[in-house]
């Protein structure tokens, strides 16, 4: 069994994951707001306590932690954008201590959420059977990870494959990371909605005060694009072109043959995938990348926990056989 812990801005979840990917003893807590670092850690400790009550607890041999980033796996620390109380918080060591306190001194590994999603999709999802894959999360940000030669490739600090901060527009607008023209600044859900509004798009009903904040999100733009709104279609075409350029660049660099895209923006379906595939034909032109596939992720909300477990199985040595 693998202990899996998934830490995000809205929830902290845990499960015991079987070797076939099925989950037991799943539990979750809301990520605390308005507390200090120890207050957030207390919720993680409660999740570990819940898991330790399972009759299968004694069979756990490893632990994987997936967390929103930034992460530094070389130090075992996280500074999640959406958990303000944690800055360079030593989550890996603290989780290991909680496990030990409950009788489970286990090898533990930390993975960023994009890397965890990559491990999950390679193990049980859309990248299964592909030796070289790029997996991406397109949501309020854009993250990702790499499978190379059937191995998860997180890099020295756990940030390899962070495709959201490849620059695809040299004279583009500044990105929150400090660079310019990054994929995230064009193709994230936040960027799609912002650009559409700047071009004059308004959510349905907004002209009479009925439009909601949800309508004004990327999901609202996607709905408008599906209905044929020209500005909304242009917003997704622009995002698709940025993603296509970055996917082609990555495939050219390391010879991936599939790109798997998950996250909230990917839920818009062909509104996003059609322009990606159209533009990809203009960027992936060399013989060894012409057959590059772009497909939606398949694991959805389970990717976090399955990914934490998959990362642990891929990155930690196998336990000695009894």
């Amino acid at each position: 069994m693998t202990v899996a812990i998934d830490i995000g801005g809205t929830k902290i979840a845990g499960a015991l994951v079987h070797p076939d990917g099925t989950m037991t003893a799943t539990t979750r807590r809301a990520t605390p707001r308005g507390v200090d670092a120890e207050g957030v850690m207390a919720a993680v400790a409660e999740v570990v306590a819940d898991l330790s009550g399972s009759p299968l607890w004694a069979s756990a041999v490893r632990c994987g932690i997936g967390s929103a980033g930034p992460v530094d796996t070389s130090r075992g620390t996280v500074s999640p954008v959406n958990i303000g109380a944690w800055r360079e918080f030593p989550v890996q060591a603290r989780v290991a201590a909680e496990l030990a306190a409950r009788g489970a001194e286990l090898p533990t590994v930390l993975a960023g959420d994009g890397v965890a999603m990559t491990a999950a999709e390679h193990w049980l999802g859309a990248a299964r059977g592909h030796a070289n894959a790029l997996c991406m999360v397109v949501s309020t940000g854009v993250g990702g990870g790499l499978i190379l030669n059937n191995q998860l490739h997180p890099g020295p600090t756990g940030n390899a494959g962070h495709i959201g901060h490849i620059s695809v527009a040299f004279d583009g607008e500044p990105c929150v990371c400090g660079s310019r023209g990054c994929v995230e600044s064009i193709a994230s859900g936040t960027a799609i909605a912002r650009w559409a509004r700047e071009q004059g798009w308004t959510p349905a009903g907004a002209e009479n005060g009925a439009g909601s904040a949800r309508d004004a999100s990327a999901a609202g733009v996607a709905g408008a694009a599906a209905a044929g709104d020209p500005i909304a279609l242009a917003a997704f075409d622009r995002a698709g072109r940025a993603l296509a350029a970055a996917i082609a660049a990555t495939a050219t660099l390391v010879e991936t043959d599939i790109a798997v895209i998950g996250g909230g923006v990917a839920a818009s379906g062909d509104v996003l995938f059609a322009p990606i595939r159209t533009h990809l034909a203009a960027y992936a032109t060399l013989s060894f990348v012409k057959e590059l596939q772009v497909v939606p992720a398949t694991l959805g909300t389970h990717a976090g926990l399955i990914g934490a477990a998959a990362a642990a199985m891929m990155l930690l040595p196998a336990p000695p056989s009894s």
Side-chain angles (χ1 to χ4, degrees):
M1 301 289 289
T2 301
V3 178
I5 297 173
D6 178 27
I7 300 170
T10 59
K11 74 176 189 310
I12 297 166
L16 298 178
V17 181
H18 295 257
D20 65 356
T22 57
M23 294 188 292
T24 298
T26 54
T27 183
R28 62 187 290 170
R29 294 289 190 281
T31 303
R33 299 292 183 191
V35 299
D36 62 10
E38 292 303 318
V40 178
M41 185 62 211
V44 178
E46 289 175 8
V47 166
V48 173
D50 288 350
L51 297 177
S52 71
S54 167
L56 294 172
W57 179 249
S59 64
V61 296
R62 64 180 75 83
C63 174
I65 307 161
S67 176
V71 303
D72 184 344
T73 58
S74 67
R75 300 170 58 218
T77 61
V78 297
S79 303
V81 171
N82 47 12
I83 305 178
W86 277 5
R87 290 296 172 266
E88 298 187 3
F89 186 78
V91 68
Q92 183 172 339
R94 294 295 301 274
V95 167
E98 289 293 330
L99 296 170
R102 298 188 178 276
E105 294 193 22
L106 304 179
T108 302
V109 72
L110 170 66
D113 51 7
V115 171
M117 175 264 194
T118 299
E121 290 291 335
H122 183 256
W123 182 25
L124 297 173
R128 188 173 187 174
H130 290 265
N132 301 286
L134 165 68
C135 297
M136 305 171 61
V137 179
V138 183
S139 185
T140 52
V142 177
L146 290 167
I147 297 289
L148 300 178
N149 297 323
N150 279 314
Q151 299 295 316
L152 188 63
H153 181 74
T157 65
N159 292 288
H162 201 342
I163 194 169
H165 295 289
I166 290 177
S167 179
V168 292
F170 298 140
D171 297 319
E173 62 186 84
C175 179
V176 293
C177 74
S179 185
R180 185 177 289 275
C182 292
V183 174
E184 183 171 300
S185 70
I186 299 170
S188 70
T190 306
I192 290 169
R194 183 182 65 248
W195 188 87
R197 291 193 301 270
E198 288 172 350
Q199 303 309 305
W201 175 80
T202 55
E207 63 277 359
N208 57 23
S212 68
R214 181 177 177 82
D215 294 331
S217 70
V221 181
D229 182 284
I231 295 176
L233 284 166
F236 271 88
D237 185 75
R238 180 174 180 265
R241 184 178 183 186
L243 290 166
I247 290 167
T250 303
T252 303
L253 187 67
V254 294
E255 288 201 60
T256 51
D257 60 11
I258 190 169
V260 177
I261 304 179
V265 177
S268 57
D270 279 348
V271 168
L272 177 68
F273 284 91
I276 292 175
R277 291 169 179 146
T278 296
H279 288 296
L280 191 64
Y283 291 112
T285 58
L286 292 169
S287 60
F288 61 92
V289 292
K290 277 188 173 181
E291 302 303 317
L292 177 62
Q293 301 176 56
V294 178
V295 300
T298 60
L299 296 177
T301 57
H302 298 298
L305 285 170
I306 292 174
M313 288 188 287
M314 295 180 82
L315 297 174
L316 292 171
S321 56
S322 55

